[in-house]
């Protein structure tokens, strides 16, 4: 910085000297011009004064000459001596003035010559006139005239001189005028010069002030810079973040901060006593490396940082990073920094272990570990070794998640997933189907967490994937099994029913046959026993009636097992049946919608029986819609409160529907339109509903399909809501 300072002052000195030189020249020049002006002015004044005096003298001379002439002429004309009274005086003053004149014009050769000539002429003429006066005894006109003529000559000489002097005066005035002009110019020039100088001086003063201010600021900055640098170094040393040592290149450690002493386990006393030496601090296997460093220091003055170990006072070792530099070429001392690497080594080891743990975790918990960047492109993928059909390593790096081929893409699910990604939110169990090498489907469940760097900037996602193919398959199987179970359940119920019916019907029929055979036997007897025949026929009629009762009175059959009375949540019971039939419904491409009245009171009855009713209605609707080729397949199930105070369950479909004539016959036992049908389902359903005190009926749906409805009464105290109402998942 001092270099810049002297440079700037040198830059400044040159124009300053120049300005001073110009200033001096201008002052000297204007002084000289002023002096010249003053001298000229003085000379002009003198000349003017002299000319004025000359003219005055000449004027006086002329007057005196006129007096002399008047006296002489008076005397000559009158010879009166009183005229000559002042004679001597006038003559004398003429002479004196002539002499004075000569002295006055001494500087002007022409006038001087003229003055000389005038003086001579005056003397000569005065003498001549004296002579004339002396010789004039009588008044003499001619003499006077002659005298006057001679005085005329003097006068003409005086006039010549006056003219000359007047010319001179005019000249002098012109000169004075020119001088005045010059003076004005001189003053104007001086004013301009002064103004310019003032401006220059002001500018220079400002420049100087700025320079000074800058210099001061620079000095202050320099000073504080030095101070802060000094402080920084001191803080670095005192902060004990790194070990700092001052050493002799040969190995003795002269100075060390606390951190270094802590590192090597020595104390300040050891340091002062000179017990700290490179060779004692360095384990034998590091000595060669140290030799190399010493050579490096001697050669280039610095040692590149390198890792080594120090021996502590207690003999243990400490890993360090060390670097250093010599103070200068002329000294054998230098400064070194020493960084304790124990923590770092431990951290590296911890990191390695954590990595290993993580790897183990991934290996056993997940099938895939992945990372994406802020643009959701895969940057890293790791597949569990157990994953037999993992994609080729690196084949998906750089691709965005949605650019990787997936099977059965669910647009809606993807849209939601993209929204989550855009919002940088964590996600869990996002399920995907991927093609396996053999062409089969592999289901993967992906979870991820957004990653932000220390500044809070989003850098991508990190997450895991789990293959859930088996789980999915198991779920599918379970669902299929449940559907199967539903079927079996129904078939079993039907089977049981038909077995009972067969039993009930068979018995009266068998009795009828027996009685008929008995009647025939009584008729064949000789003589025929008509009373017995009548009795047998009566029994046949009874048996016939009994069979009729069995067939028409299914209700009696069902009533054999009185329904259990439990209070249950009807909506929940409906939803269970919906869940049970879900795969059946989906497989038939049916859209199922439920609308279940919230807060329905609990229903008292046999939950299983009523679920059988609902299941039967659902399966009937599914079977009915399975046969239609056109139109959407829709199934609505709703529950509501009935006007009469009970609850109403409605199962409505968009299948082929029922003829108006059939709405009642479908409930008749053995009425079926299906090749494998039993025609018992609806009959039993109605019996069950009626056993609960409800009603069941069918009607046509608009624009197509069938509606099956049933009511269940509520007990007087059934206004208490059921245990809980689950939210409606299918809605
Ligand atoms: P099955 O189902 O064994 O035939 P059901 O008593 O359950 O016995 O049904 C009797 C008949 O009623 C069925 O064969 C069918 O013709 C008719 N049916 C039942 N439900 C529907 C429905 N949802 N749509 C149209 N017809 C139906």
């Amino acid at each position: 910085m001092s270099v810049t300072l002297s440079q700037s002052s040198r830059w400044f000195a040159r124009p300053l000297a120049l300005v001073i030189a110009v200033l001096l020249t201008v002052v000297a020049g204007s002084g000289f011009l002023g002096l010249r002006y003053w001298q000229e002015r003085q000379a002009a004044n003198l000349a003017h004064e002299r000319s004025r005096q000359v003219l005055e003298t000449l004027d006086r001379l002329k007057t005196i000459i006129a007096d002399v002439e008047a006296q002489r002429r008076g005397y000559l004309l009158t010879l009166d001596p009183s005229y000559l009274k002042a004679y001597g005086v006038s003559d004398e003053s003429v002479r004196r003035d002539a002499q004075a004149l000569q002295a006055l014009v001494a500087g002007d050769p022409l006038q001087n010559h003229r003055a000389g000539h005038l003086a001579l002429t005056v003397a000569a003429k005065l003498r001549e006139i004296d002579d004339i006066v002396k010789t004039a005894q009588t008044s003499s006109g001619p003499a006077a005239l002659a005298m006057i003529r001679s005085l005329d000559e003097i006068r003409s000489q005086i006039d010549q001189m006056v003219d000359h002097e007047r010319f001179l005066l005019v000249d002098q005035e012109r000169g004075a005028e020119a001088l005045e002009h010059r003076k004005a110019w001189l003053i104007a020039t001086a004013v301009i010069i002064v103004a310019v100088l003032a401006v220059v001086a002001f500018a220079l003063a400002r420049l100087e002030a700025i320079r000074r201010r800058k210099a001061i600021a620079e000095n202050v900055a320099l000073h504080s810079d030095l101070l802060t640098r000094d402080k920084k170094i001191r803080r670095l040393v005192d902060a004990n973040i790194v070990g700092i040592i001052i050493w002799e290149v040969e190995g003795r450690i002269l100075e060390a901060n606390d951190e270094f002493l802590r590192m090597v386990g020595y104390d300040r006393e050891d340091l002062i006593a000179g017990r700290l030496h490179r060779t004692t601090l360095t384990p034998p296997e590091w000595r060669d490396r140290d030799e190399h460093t010493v050579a490096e220091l001697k050669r280039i003055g610095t040692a590149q940082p390198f890792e080594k170990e120090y021996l502590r006072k207690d003999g243990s070792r400490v890993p360090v990073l060390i670097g250093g530099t010599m103070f200068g070429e002329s000294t054998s001392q230098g400064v070194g920094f020493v960084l304790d690497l124990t923590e770092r080594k431990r951290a590296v080891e911890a990191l390695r272990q954590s990595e290993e743990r993580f790897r183990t975790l991934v290996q056993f918990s997940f099938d895939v570990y992945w990372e994406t960047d802020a643009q959701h492109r895969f940057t890293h993928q790791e597949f569990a070794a157990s994953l037999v059909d993992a994609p080729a390593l690196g084949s998906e790096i750089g691709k965005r998640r949605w650019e990787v081929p997936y099977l059965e893409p669910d647009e809606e699910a993807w849209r939601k997933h993209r929204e989550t990604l855009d919002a940088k939110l964590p996600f869990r169990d996002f399920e995907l189907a991927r093609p396996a090498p053999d062409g089969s489907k592999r289901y993967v469940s992906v979870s991820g967490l957004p990653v932000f760097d220390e500044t809070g900037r989003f850098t991508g996602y990190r997450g895991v994937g789990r293959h859930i193919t088996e789980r999915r398959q198991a779920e599918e199987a379970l669902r299929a099994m449940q559907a199967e179970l539903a079927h079996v359940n129904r078939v079993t119920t039907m089977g049981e029913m038909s077995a009972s019916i067969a039993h009930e019907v068979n018995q009266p029929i068998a009795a009828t046959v027996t009685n008929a055979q008995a009647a025939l036997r009584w008729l064949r007897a000789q003589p025929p026993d008509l009373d017995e025949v009548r009795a047998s026929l009566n029994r046949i009629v009874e048996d016939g009636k009994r069979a009729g009762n069995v067939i028409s009175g299914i209700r009696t059959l069902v009533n054999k097992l009185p329904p259990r009375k439990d209070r249950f949540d009807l909506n929940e019971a409906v939803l269970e049946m919906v869940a049970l039939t879900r795969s059946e419904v989906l497989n038939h491409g049916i859209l199922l919608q439920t609308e279940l009245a919230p807060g329905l009171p609990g229903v008292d009855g046999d939950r299983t029986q009523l679920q059988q009713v609902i299941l039967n209605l659902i399966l009937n609707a599914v079977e009915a819609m399975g046969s239609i080729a056109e139109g959407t397949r829709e199934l609505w199930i709703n529950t509501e409160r009935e006007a009469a105070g009970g609850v109403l369950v409605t199962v409505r479909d968009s299948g082929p529907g029922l003829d108006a004539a059939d709405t009642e016959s479908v409930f008749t036992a053995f009425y079926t339109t299906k090749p494998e049908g039993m025609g018992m389902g609806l009959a039993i359903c109605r019996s069950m509903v009626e056993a609960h005190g409800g009603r069941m009926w069918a009607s046509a749906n608009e624009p197509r399909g069938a509606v099956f409805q049933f009511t269940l009464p509520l007990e007087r105290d059934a206004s208490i809501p059921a245990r809980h109402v689950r939210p409606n998942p299918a809605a």
Side-chain angles (χ1 to χ4, degrees), residues 490 494 616-625 651-653 655-659 662 665-685 705-708:
R490 193 162 74 131
M494 298 307 128
N616 204 57
L617 294 181
I618 294 173
L619 291 175
N620 268 350
V622 170
E623 278 170 7
M625 283 190 284
V651 179
R652 185 194 306 268
D653 65 61
L658 301 166
D659 284 342
D662 291 337
S665 47
V666 289
F667 292 102
T668 322
F670 303 116
Y671 174 91
T672 180
T673 55
K674 300 166 194 169
E676 310 271 279
M678 290 258 304
M680 289 302 293
L682 288 173
I684 295 171
C685 285
V707 185
F708 285 85

Side-chain angles (χ1 to χ4, degrees), residues 265-534:
Y266 284 84
D267 54 30
R268 210 150 273 286
E269 262 172 43
D270 295 320
L271 178 74
I272 294 162
R275 280 194 282 274
L276 263 73
H277 198 281
R278 189 171 52 232
T279 41
T280 48
L281 284 171
T282 306
E285 68 267 31
W286 287 101
R287 301 243 163 97
D288 282 352
R289 181 65 182 84
D290 272 7
E291 291 306 313
H292 176 77
T293 311
V294 169
E296 198 181 345
L297 277 169
K298 283 181 176 166
R299 203 173 61 245
I300 54 171
T302 60
Q304 286 301 310
F306 66 99
E307 286 184 23
K308 68 174 260 185
E309 280 177 322
Y310 269 142
L311 274 177
R312 287 209 189 88
K313 198 177 180 183
D314 63 8
S316 63
R317 289 174 179 227
V318 52
V320 292
L321 178 77
I322 175 164
T325 182
M326 302 282 287
F327 281 138
E329 274 169 23
S330 52
T331 126
S332 62
Q333 293 180 357
V335 64
F337 72 83
V338 185
L339 215 68
D340 187 347
L341 295 182
T342 316
E343 265 315 304
R344 217 192 66 176
K345 293 252 170 189
R346 200 175 295 156
V348 167
E349 179 55 23
L351 200 69
R352 200 189 57 76
Q353 280 184 9
S354 140
E355 172 107 5
E356 217 143 76
R357 276 200 288 273
F358 154 77
R359 228 162 259 285
T360 315
L361 194 73
V362 168
Q363 283 294 325
F364 289 105
S365 314
F366 309 105
D367 300 306
V368 190
Y369 171 81
W370 54 265
E371 283 172 12
T372 54
D373 63 11
Q375 279 72 46
H376 308 296
R377 286 182 296 239
F378 284 111
T379 52
H380 185 80
Q381 277 183 330
E382 272 182 57
F383 300 97
S386 58
L387 202 66
V388 279
D389 48 9
L393 203 65
S395 65
E396 290 172 358
I397 298 297
K399 282 189 189 158
R400 288 189 168 84
R401 181 178 296 292
W402 48 91
E403 287 166 357
V404 171
Y406 292 115
L407 301 171
E408 21 178 285
D410 178 342
E411 299 288 336
E412 183 58 17
W414 267 108
R415 195 186 56 73
K416 279 198 181 132
H417 183 58
R418 290 280 292 269
E419 271 176 18
T420 309
L421 294 182
D422 286 343
K424 304 173 181 77
L425 293 172
F427 61 89
R428 269 191 91 93
D429 302 331
F430 179 60
E431 294 191 4
L432 300 158
R434 309 191 53 162
D438 64 359
S440 65
K441 273 183 214 165
R442 285 257 154 242
Y443 289 97
V444 187
S445 165
V446 195
S447 302
L449 288 174
V451 182
F452 300 92
D453 66 10
E454 62 277 10
T455 64
R457 197 171 53 89
F458 169 70
T459 58
Y461 270 91
R462 209 178 270 156
V464 293
R466 211 175 289 127
H467 274 219
I468 51 161
T469 316
E470 281 79 24
R471 198 186 83 192
R472 271 277 188 122
Q473 281 166 352
E475 277 173 10
E476 291 281 330
L478 187 69
R479 225 169 272 146
M481 257 164 68
Q482 280 174 334
E484 189 70 13
L485 196 69
H487 268 291
V488 170
N489 226 336
R490 193 162 74 131
V491 169
T492 313
T493 313
M494 298 307 128
E496 275 172 11
M497 285 289 170
S498 48
S500 320
I501 292 162
H503 175 75
E504 292 292 323
V505 177
N506 264 347
Q507 206 215 353
I509 286 172
T512 306
V513 172
T514 315
N515 282 321
Q517 282 168 345
L520 282 175
R521 265 201 316 278
W522 292 121
L523 276 177
R524 270 201 303 271
Q526 290 300 334
D529 188 340
L530 289 178
D531 283 342
E532 285 296 336
V533 169
R534 199 174 295 119

